[in-house]
Amino acid sequence: VEALLKSHGSSARVRYLAGKLPGSIDHLREAVRLQPKFGQAHYELALALRRAGRQKEAAEHFRLFRQHAKVVVEMEDPLLERVRVLRV
């Protein structure tokens, strides 16, 4: 995770992955700041906030999760993009 943060720290997906570590609320906050419709990140943030006793904030992120539950955010991968272009 540390290597990904160094090379792709501005990626919402990488921040989400880093946020799955215990005590990483800041990474999850950054993930939803970078991608406000990132449902999975809102869900993980809501769980972390609930564990921290911040129920009101957690409720807001649970609401945002329900609103954006089907949004998929992928990590930028230039090689994968070149393969996708070739598939067409």
Side-chain angles (χ1 to χ4, degrees):
V1 172
E2 289 298 321
L4 283 173
L5 283 170
K6 286 179 184 176
S7 62
H8 295 75
S10 63
S11 165
R13 185 79 180 154
V14 169
R15 291 296 183 145
Y16 164 75
L17 293 172
K20 294 190 64 106
L21 299 172
S24 298
I25 289 176
D26 290 338
H27 288 299
L28 293 168
R29 283 192 191 282
E30 183 65 8
V32 298
R33 187 190 71 74
L34 291 167
Q35 285 285 348
K37 295 181 180 180
F38 191 172
Q40 287 176 300
H42 281 291
Y43 182 75
E44 290 295 331
L45 179 55
L47 291 176
L49 290 167
R50 186 171 65 184
R51 283 190 299 269
R54 296 156 75 176
Q55 303 304 323
K56 189 173 181 178
E57 287 178 85
E60 174 62 12
H61 287 284
F62 278 126
R63 183 189 70 74
L64 290 167
F65 161 69
R66 286 189 299 278
Q67 184 178 350
H68 304 296
K70 295 184 181 187
V71 175
V72 176
V73 176
E74 295 182 9
M75 214 172 97
E76 292 178 23
D77 187 338
L79 179 60
L80 182 58
E81 286 305 314
R82 290 196 308 249
V83 170
R84 286 181 178 151
V85 169
L86 292 173
R87 257 180 51 185
V88 174

